[in-house]
């Protein structure tokens, strides 16, 4: 039996393997260096929904603009979808003290936390900034019999069940809340509303164009082109002011007390030091001031709604309360 | 005619050396990343988005198209070689492709897949050029009742993959349907079979189910019955498709697009159902019924061609309506917006260079995909010659990476293992695995469309049959079901007469 | 916390003599004839599992509170109830089939040798390795856990090249890590030495 050599070789192989797998990863990670100004090396944006969704576009646009403006190098964007964003949220909360992680989120996450009874809420995060606002639009197909918002709501009141309304989000999400608020303002019992959820704005669009639903409610940015091309008829917008360039009243002007705006922002894990928090906020502030970001806002039809730190935290709380009260009223 | 001149202009754009280069880079990167476990085409496009930032819009989209097709093809490579589908459209390819690879016909299976992708993409793109506006209009007309009718048809088709024992096949189907129930109810957001876990709220991904049942289940089953002794390596076989292969597959390649393309174009179509329907169709039409399940080459050629054509169909709705019918289209739509381009009804007017350049580059990309991958097929197939322990260890490693890498949740690995153990049990007791996977694909979709249809009609059952399309499909179903009966009646009448 | 079961190296390499096929779900019966009856009818275990699954699905469906406005005749419960009932029915039909002598055909394959009795030890070892690696990903990092998975699985399947296996596993795992983490920007845990070195 050759004892020494094989055993020695085995030990050597094992040792070599151990060194590789343990020492390799730290060496592969590129050096930190240059941690100055707005630079946050190794910063990552988590997107709590699928590629191509609203938070995804916000995060990727922000990352690209920040890089183009030379604020920081190479922000990694990655997706962790699940349960309306609450899976990503609980991961974020689990990354206590990680100053190199931020998550794009919005009203939908607030709703999902409540409707899924998620164990972690946005109160567990470090709020960084609200970035954009987007009004919802009430649209019908171009050959729809409803020419004005009054036509529509009049018919809706008469036979709510026969006028199915489509939205691009699951129950509890923004596109669900908006028609529910509309129904409440019009005096329709929430239970009577025939809300049909679709997988995002795309599938919804097909159903509106094909007259499958009586009307649809979704973000203005998604349907800008279809409205301009005359494929969709815009009846009203849900926010407090008209959208420039679009010829439609707000619901308030039409006499329905609805003030609904979807928004998106950035939150960070809990337990950040003041310095880490300030740094992340400064980066987002600088991003907000950059011409690249201005350009992106315009292209995507987003309204600037910049709000940072404490104020954003208070805003989150207020939104949470509002969502809770609406959902309760709807019996969800 | 108009489209033709525009297309020729498009080729002028696409065939510049730089743009050919981008298409080639896209196809290569897409294939390479599509081969990686857990990364489907949507993820591949999203991950490679930053790579294209430096390019002008036309170059960027030409590269995207290459990535898209490349990633779809890469997904079927692992499906065939390792029984580990990289994405849902490639699940069906594993059914016949993997047995082929095991019996030394891996190169042929890969070649059939590559040519299938080429044929599907070519035919699909021709249909895109010829029919884009018409198809887009029709696609919008397809609603919930129509989808449900198609789902019923697909369920009827499942009976042909139940295997020799009906009751065991149905048991497998029900297991799949049960897995499909897990998650939030899509219509009301109620939790079903999630046991309070958020990770289960979006259900179990069909790729995880397929990888668990196919790859992990297989590895465990092999472990239980490993052939001991000097185990001969998998024979390499001839590297190219033989004449008899070609005779068997050319029709499948050409049939696939006509199943795949329409599904790609309609809003909730996707590639899973057409690949499955193509599989069933090819099985029905095959002259080599006995080979099915053991490596029938038509079972790779047809579904792969359908998958590729459905990708072309996806582009129809995206370019003409701004309607993303799949996750990849959604990512590409987002990418368009990054460049300040809004796909939709006005795109063909506003950006003709870009659109026709992109369409022309699809043809170029197809040719490149074929040229790059056909010679690689025999090389890939050699991968299977590594020693058995490494092969199965590698499959388990690969499957685990796929389940873990993108989500980063350990629970996904546990789910994968549990499904793998179910797969082991099913192999032990002769339950076929394909019906289970089909159940996961069809179940949730059928339920959603059924309920959506009923909700749109406000609860009236007539809402299921109020479109000509749905009625037609049901009529086809009735004929299909009655066919054996009619044949028997006819035969009886004949015998009665002859007596 | 699951610890991977450690098998003695020589036991899995050779076909072990006492390899009685041990049915997954049936407990060993005391009397020999009853034992063999159960062994011949171990497929009834599948029926029991299907039955249990059916009961689980039905319970889950019926305990779901459906106070939200359910519109139309088909609500969130309907399909689960149908599937659950289907499972119960199929469990019964399968039981009848098995008792009448029907047997599921165990799947054959290139690498499968059905003439030997099943070697559940290897399956257990493989399962343990998989679970162990899953648990170790977070503390040890992906490269280490992945290498353990590959090496462990190769070992369980009979590979005994102790000078080569660990290195192959380590290189494969590290390369995968690098591709995902560095090239694609999909973050994976690096292990205990991240930030220390």
């Amino acid at each position: 039996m050759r004892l020494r050599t094989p055993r020695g070789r085995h030990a050597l192989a094992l040792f070599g393997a151990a060194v590789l797998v343990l020492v390799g990863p730290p060496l592969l990670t590129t050096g930190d260096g240059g941690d100055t100004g707005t630079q946050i090396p190794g910063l990552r944006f988590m997107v709590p929904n699928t590629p191509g969704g609203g938070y995804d576009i916000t995060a990727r646009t922000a990352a690209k603009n920040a890089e183009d403006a030379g604020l920081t190098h190479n922000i990694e964007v990655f997706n962790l979808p699940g349960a309306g964003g609450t899976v990503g949220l609980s991961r974020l909360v689990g990354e206590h003290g990680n100053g190199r992680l931020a998550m794009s989120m919005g009203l939908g996450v607030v709703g999902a936390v409540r409707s899924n009874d998620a164990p972690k809420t946005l109160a567990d995060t470090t709020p960084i900034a609200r970035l954009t606002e987007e009004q919802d639009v009430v649209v019908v197909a171009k050959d729809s019999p409803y020419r004005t918002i009054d036509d529509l709501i009049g018919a809706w009141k008469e036979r709510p069940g026969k006028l199915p309304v489509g939205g691009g989000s699951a129950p509890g999400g923004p596109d669900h809340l908006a028609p529910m608020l509309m129904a409440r303002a019009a005096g329709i019992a929430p239970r009577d509303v025939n809300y049909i959820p679709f997988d995002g704005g795309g599938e919804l669009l097909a159903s509106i164009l094909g007259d499958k639903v009586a009307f649809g409610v979704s973000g203005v940015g998604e349907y800008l082109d279809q409205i301009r091309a005359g494929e969709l008829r815009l009846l009203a917008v849900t926010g407090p002011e008209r959208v420039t360039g679009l010829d439609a009243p707000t619901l308030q002007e039409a006499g329905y007390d609805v003030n609904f705006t979807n928004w998106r922002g950035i939150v960070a894990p809990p337990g950040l030091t003041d310095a880490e928090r300030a740094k992340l906020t400064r980066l987002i502030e600088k991003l907000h001031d950059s011409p690249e970001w201005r350009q992106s806002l315009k292209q995507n039809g987003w309204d600037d709604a910049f709000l940072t730190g404490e104020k954003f935290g208070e805003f989150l709380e207020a939104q949470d309360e509002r969502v809770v009260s609406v959902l309760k009223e709807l019996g969800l | 005619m108009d489209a033709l001149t525009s297309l020729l202009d498009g080729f002028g754009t696409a065939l510049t050396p730089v743009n050919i280069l981008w298409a080639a880079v896209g196809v290569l990167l897409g294939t390479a990343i599509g081969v990686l476990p857990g990364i489907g085409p949507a993820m591949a496009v999203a991950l490679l988005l930053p790579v294209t930032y430096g390019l002008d819009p036309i170059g960027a989209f030409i590269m995207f198209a290459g990535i898209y097709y490349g990633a779809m093809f890469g997904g079927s490579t692992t499906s065939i070689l390792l029984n580990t589908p990289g994405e849902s459209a490639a699940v069906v390819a594993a059914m016949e492709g993997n047995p082929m690879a095991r019996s030394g016909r891996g190169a042929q299976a890969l070649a059939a897949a590559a040519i299938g992708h080429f044929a599907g993409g070519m035919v699909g793109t021709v249909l895109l050029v010829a029919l884009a506006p018409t198809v887009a209009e029709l696609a919008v007309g397809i609603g919930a009742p129509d989808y449900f009718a198609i789902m019923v048809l697909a369920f009827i088709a499942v009976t042909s993959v139940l295997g020799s024992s009906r009751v065991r096949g149905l048991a497998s189907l029900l297991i799949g349907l049960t897995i499909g129930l897990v998650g939030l109810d899509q219509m009301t957001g109620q939790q079903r079979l999630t046991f309070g876990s958020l990770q289960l709220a979006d259900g179990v991904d069909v790729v995880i189910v397929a990888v668990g049942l196919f790859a992990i289940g297989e590895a465990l089953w092999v472990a239980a019955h490993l052939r001991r002794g000097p185990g001969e390596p998998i024979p390499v076989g001839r590297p190219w498709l033989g004449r008899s292969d070609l005779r068997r597959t050319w029709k499948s390649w050409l049939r696939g697009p006509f199943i795949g393309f329409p599904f790609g174009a309609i809003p909730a179509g996707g590639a899973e159902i057409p690949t499955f329907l193509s599989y069933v169709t090819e099985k029905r039409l095959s002259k080599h019924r006995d080979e099915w399940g053991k490596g029938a080459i038509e079972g790779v050629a047809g579904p792969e061609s359908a998958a590729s054509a459905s990708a072309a169909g996806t582009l129809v709705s995206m370019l003409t309506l701004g309607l993303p019918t799949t996750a990849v289209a959604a990512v590409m739509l987002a990418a368009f917006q990054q460049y300040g381009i809004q796909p939709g009804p006005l795109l063909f007017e506003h950006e003709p260079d870009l659109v026709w350049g992109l369409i022309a580059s699809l043809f170029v990309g197809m040719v490149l995909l074929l040229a790059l991958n056909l010679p690689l097929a025999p090389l890939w197939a050699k991968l299977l010659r590594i020693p058995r322990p490494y092969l199965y260890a590698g499959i388990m490693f690969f499957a685990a990476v796929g389940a873990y890498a993108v989500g980063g949740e350990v629970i996904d690995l546990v789910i994968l293992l549990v499904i793998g153990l179910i797969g082991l049990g099913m192999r032990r007791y002769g339950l076929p695995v394909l019906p289970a996977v089909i159940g996961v694909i069809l179940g949730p979709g059928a339920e959603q469309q059924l309920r959506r249809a009923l909700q749109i009609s406000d609860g009236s059952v007539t809402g299921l049959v109020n479109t000509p399309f749905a009625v037609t499909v049901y009529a086809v179903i009735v004929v299909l079901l009655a066919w054996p009966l009619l044949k028997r009646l006819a035969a009886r009448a004949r015998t009665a007469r002859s007596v | 916390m699951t610890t991977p079961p450690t098998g003695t190296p020589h036991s899995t390499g050779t076909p072990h003599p006492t390899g009685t096929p041990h049915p997954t779900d049936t407990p060993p019966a005391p009397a020999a004839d009853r034992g063999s009856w159960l062994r011949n009818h171990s497929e009834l275990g599948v029926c029991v599992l299907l039955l249990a699954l059916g009961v689980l699905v039905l319970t889950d469906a019926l305990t779901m509170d459906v106070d939200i406005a359910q519109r139309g005749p088909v609500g969130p419960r309907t399909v689960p109830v149908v599937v659950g009932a289907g499972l119960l029915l199929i469990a019964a039909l399968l039981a009848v089939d098995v008792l009448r002598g029907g047997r599921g055909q165990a799947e054959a394959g290139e690498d499968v040798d059905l003439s030997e009795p099943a070697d559940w030890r290897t399956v257990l070892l493989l399962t343990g390795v998989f679970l162990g690696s899953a648990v170790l990903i977070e503390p040890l990092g992906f490269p280490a856990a992945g290498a353990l998975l590959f090496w462990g699985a190769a070992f369980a399947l009979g590979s005994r090249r102790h000078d080569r296996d660990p290195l192959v596993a380590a290189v494969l795992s590290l390369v995968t890590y690098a591709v995902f983490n560095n090239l694609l920007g999909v973050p994976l845990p690096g292990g205990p030495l991240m930030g220390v070195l």
Side-chain angles (χ1 to χ4, degrees):
Chain A
M1 285 291 277
R2 292 170 301 143
L3 256 177
R4 274 208 71 83
T5 352
R7 194 171 288 174
R9 291 225 315 266
H10 296 174
L12 198 65
L14 203 58
F15 178 75
V19 168
L20 269 178
V21 294
L22 292 174
V23 180
L27 294 184
L28 281 169
T29 311
T30 37
D32 285 17
D35 195 351
T36 51
T38 52
Q39 299 281 346
I40 305 181
L43 178 63
R44 296 186 286 136
F45 279 171
M46 184 204 294
V47 177
N49 62 9
T50 48
Y55 306 139
D56 188 61
I57 299 176
T58 306
R60 286 184 199 278
T61 308
K64 178 171 187 275
N65 291 160
E67 285 163 31
D68 288 350
L71 299 173
T72 187
H73 296 301
N74 194 24
I75 301 176
E76 272 175 17
V77 181
F78 69 104
N79 301 72
L80 182 59
T86 51
V87 169
L89 177 63
S90 46
R91 166 78 73 85
L92 185 87
V93 173
E95 295 266 340
H96 190 94
N98 184 349
R100 294 174 182 189
L101 181 65
M103 181 177 91
S104 68
M105 47 77 68
L107 181 56
V109 177
V110 179
V113 165
R114 289 303 165 194
S115 53
N116 293 342
D117 260 334
K120 302 283 187 256
T121 73
L122 289 161
D124 298 321
T125 65
T126 305
I128 299 297
R130 183 180 70 187
L131 286 174
T132 61
E133 261 180 4
E134 191 183 21
Q135 302 208 22
D136 263 13
V137 288
V138 182
V139 288
V140 295
K142 64 178 171 197
D143 47 5
S144 161
Y146 310 112
R147 309 207 68 84
T148 66
I149 187 75
D150 281 324
D151 287 355
L152 176 71
I153 290 187
W156 198 23
K157 264 162 109 168
E158 259 170 53
R159 314 169 295 159
K162 295 286 174 203
L163 268 71
V165 44
S169 50
D175 294 355
H176 178 224
L177 295 178
M180 288 302 173
L181 290 171
M182 262 171 77
R184 183 171 70 175
I188 300 167
R191 276 184 165 273
D192 292 336
V193 175
N194 191 356
Y195 175 76
I196 302 177
F198 288 86
D199 300 337
E203 217 189 325
L204 171 63
L205 173 62
S207 295
I208 305 173
L209 292 175
D211 267 332
K212 308 294 175 205
V213 294
F215 65 103
V217 177
S218 192
V220 59
E222 304 215 41
Y223 296 153
L224 224 44
D225 204 38
Q226 283 80 9
I227 293 169
R228 290 202 182 117
E231 298 278 329
L232 290 178
R233 186 186 300 141
L234 173 64
L235 296 185
V237 297
T238 60
E241 277 162 38
R242 290 188 177 217
V243 176
T244 39
L246 291 182
D247 176 31
T250 66
L251 283 170
Q252 279 173 337
E253 285 170 23
Y256 305 98
D257 184 24
V258 176
N259 180 358
F260 179 87
T261 324
N262 191 4
W263 50 268
R264 299 200 182 109
I266 303 266
V267 295
L272 298 196
T273 64
D274 285 347
E276 281 169 329
R277 181 182 176 153
K279 189 150 190 180
L280 208 48
T281 311
R282 192 160 63 240
L283 171 68
I284 301 295
E285 267 168 4
K286 284 271 198 281
L287 167 72
H288 172 250
D289 295 337
S290 70
E292 287 84 357
W293 180 249
R294 305 267 128 208
Q295 183 65 23
S296 299
L297 288 177
K298 218 162 88 189
Q299 276 169 10
N300 289 293
W302 297 332
D303 289 329
D304 190 11
F306 198 60
L307 193 68
T308 54
E310 291 296 319
K311 281 195 185 132
F312 179 46
E314 287 161 19
F315 172 78
L316 282 180
E317 271 173 40
Q319 288 286 309
D320 189 43
E321 277 165 27
R322 183 171 176 200
V323 166
V324 169
S325 82
V326 175
L327 289 180
K328 202 175 198 175
E329 211 171 307
L330 301 178
L332 277 168
Chain B
M1 204 56 236
D2 200 22
L4 210 59
T5 23
S6 313
L7 183 63
L8 285 178
D9 289 345
F11 273 109
T13 317
L15 286 175
T16 59
V18 180
N19 285 340
I20 292 181
L21 179 70
W22 294 139
V25 170
V27 167
L28 263 183
L29 280 177
T31 313
I33 292 184
V35 167
L36 292 178
I39 297 191
M43 202 66 199
V45 176
L47 288 172
L48 292 175
L49 210 56
V51 179
T52 62
Y53 282 160
L55 308 181
D56 64 304
I58 294 181
F61 286 102
I62 286 174
M63 195 158 148
F64 276 145
I67 294 170
Y68 186 8
Y69 283 110
M72 289 200 65
F73 177 74
S76 34
T77 305
T78 52
S79 201
I80 290 168
L81 292 178
L82 303 178
N83 218 1
T84 313
E87 45 120 2
S88 50
V91 168
V92 174
M95 289 314 298
E96 299 301 322
N98 191 249
M100 279 184 78
R102 288 304 167 81
S103 54
R105 287 165 47 77
Q108 280 87 343
L110 287 173
I115 301 176
H117 270 269
F118 175 75
M122 278 296 181
V123 176
T125 313
V126 168
L127 292 176
L128 164 66
V129 172
L131 302 173
T134 332
V135 170
E137 255 167 55
L138 288 178
V140 164
I142 302 281
D146 312 309
Y147 286 119
F148 183 66
I150 297 173
M151 301 277 186
V152 173
L153 179 66
F155 268 116
I156 304 284
V158 173
T159 51
S160 72
V161 294
L162 286 183
S164 50
S165 163
R166 280 268 143 124
V167 69
R168 289 175 180 81
L170 284 174
S172 167
L173 178 68
L174 281 167
I175 291 173
L177 290 174
T178 308
I179 297 175
L181 285 177
V182 175
L184 295 181
D185 170 37
Q186 289 144 312
M187 303 303 282
T188 62
Q190 293 272 35
Q191 305 218 357
R192 297 199 300 202
L193 295 174
T194 61
F195 312 105
S197 158
L198 280 180
Q199 269 78 19
L200 287 176
D202 279 4
V204 186
D205 192 75
V206 63
V207 173
I208 300 270
V209 176
V211 170
L213 287 180
F214 293 167
I216 303 283
E218 170 94 2
L220 292 174
W221 178 233
V222 166
H225 286 280
L226 189 60
R227 205 178 282 282
R228 307 289 179 185
E232 59 244 67
I234 289 169
V236 178
R238 284 178 313 123
W240 308 112
L241 289 170
R243 192 178 290 251
S244 65
D245 289 328
L246 287 175
R247 234 193 330 262
R248 285 175 61 176
T249 45
W250 70 272
K251 282 187 198 148
S252 314
W253 284 323
L254 292 183
R255 269 193 294 263
F258 295 96
I259 300 176
F261 182 79
F263 275 91
I266 58 180
E272 296 90 348
I273 296 175
T275 49
F276 166 62
L277 286 180
S278 164
Y279 179 84
V280 176
T281 313
E282 294 306 330
K283 190 174 178 184
R284 275 276 153 97
L285 296 174
S286 173
K287 291 201 184 78
H288 308 262
R289 278 280 190 86
D290 52 316
E291 277 182 33
W292 286 76
K294 295 174 211 141
I297 195 166
E298 301 98 317
V300 179
E304 286 299 283
S305 170
S308 179
S310 109
T314 300
L315 293 176
V316 172
S317 309
M318 190 186 81
L319 292 175
T320 54
L321 296 174
L323 185 74
T325 57
T326 59
V328 187
V331 178
M332 285 180 77
L333 205 62
F336 269 108
Q337 279 158 352
Q338 302 255 318
Y339 284 98
I341 298 161
Q342 181 75 42
L346 304 179
L347 185 66
F348 275 80
E349 286 169 37
H350 287 173
E351 307 273 352
D353 287 352
L354 182 117
V355 177
W356 291 105
L358 174 65
I359 293 176
S361 77
L362 294 179
F363 288 105
V364 178
M366 269 324 137
V367 175
L368 289 172
L369 187 69
L370 190 67
L372 286 172
N373 285 304
L374 216 44
L376 281 179
L379 294 181
W380 277 116
K382 289 219 175 92
L383 192 70
L384 293 183
R385 301 198 69 194
I386 61 175
R388 289 298 194 284
Y390 282 2
L391 179 62
Y392 286 105
I395 287 176
M396 289 196 74
F397 175 81
F398 219 56
V401 173
Y404 179 80
V406 176
E409 301 279 346
V410 173
I411 180 119
D412 286 340
L413 288 174
V414 178
I415 295 172
L416 182 69
L417 182 64
V418 169
I419 293 175
L421 288 170
I422 294 175
L424 170 69
M426 291 171 75
R427 282 179 170 75
R428 165 71 179 82
Y429 291 108
L431 271 58
V433 289
L434 184 60
V437 177
I438 303 299
V440 179
I441 293 174
L442 289 181
E447 184 191 2
Q448 187 183 23
Q449 301 297 351
L450 169 69
R451 288 171 61 191
R452 200 177 272 167
L454 287 174
Q455 221 183 309
I456 287 175
S457 70
D458 200 24
S460 159
V461 185
T462 54
L464 293 179
V465 288
N466 60 3
T467 66
F469 184 92
V471 173
T472 316
V473 174
Y474 287 122
V476 169
I477 291 172
V478 169
V479 170
L480 281 180
L481 287 181
W483 190 246
L485 205 70
L486 289 174
K487 246 181 16 194
R488 211 174 307 155
L489 281 178
R492 199 171 295 165
R494 242 191 326 255
T495 46
R497 226 172 319 150
S498 63
V499 167
Chain C
M1 185 73 194
T2 324
T3 43
T6 45
T8 41
H10 58 270
S11 64
T12 45
T14 52
H16 45 96
T18 54
T20 41
H22 192 278
T24 32
D25 312 302
T26 42
D33 55 334
R34 260 184 69 207
S36 78
W37 187 90
L38 278 180
R39 201 172 302 149
N40 283 332
H41 293 80
S42 64
E43 201 174 349
L44 287 176
V46 178
C47 305
V48 174
L49 284 182
L50 288 173
L51 192 78
L53 196 59
V55 171
L56 176 72
V57 171
L58 282 177
T59 320
D60 184 77
L62 297 176
T63 52
M64 190 188 298
D65 65 328
V66 201
D67 60 338
I68 322 175
Q70 168 190 331
R71 303 204 61 95
V74 176
R77 272 180 185 177
T78 319
V79 172
V81 168
V82 171
V83 171
L87 282 167
L88 297 186
L89 182 71
I90 280 293
L93 289 177
L94 187 60
V96 170
D97 185 69
V98 172
L99 291 175
R100 281 190 181 159
R103 289 289 174 276
Q105 190 75 42
E107 194 182 276
E110 292 291 315
D111 296 334
V112 174
D113 183 3
L114 289 176
S115 59
E116 290 282 326
D119 176 12
W120 297 116
R121 267 189 80 97
T122 309
V123 175
L124 214 62
L125 191 60
L126 212 51
T127 311
V129 165
F130 193 92
L131 266 184
S133 321
V135 170
L136 288 176
I137 284 189
E138 304 276 328
L140 283 190
F142 176 84
L148 281 179
L149 172 61
F150 185 87
W151 186 28
F155 179 86
L157 291 163
S159 178
R160 291 294 176 278
R161 291 288 306 271
H162 295 305
D163 54 342
R164 191 177 65 181
D165 296 352
L167 287 175
V168 171
V171 169
L172 176 71
S173 194
L174 191 65
V175 168
T176 309
Y177 173 83
V179 168
F180 275 86
N181 199 63
N182 295 36
L183 294 182
L184 291 176
V186 175
L188 291 174
L193 297 183
M194 292 302 278
V196 178
L197 279 182

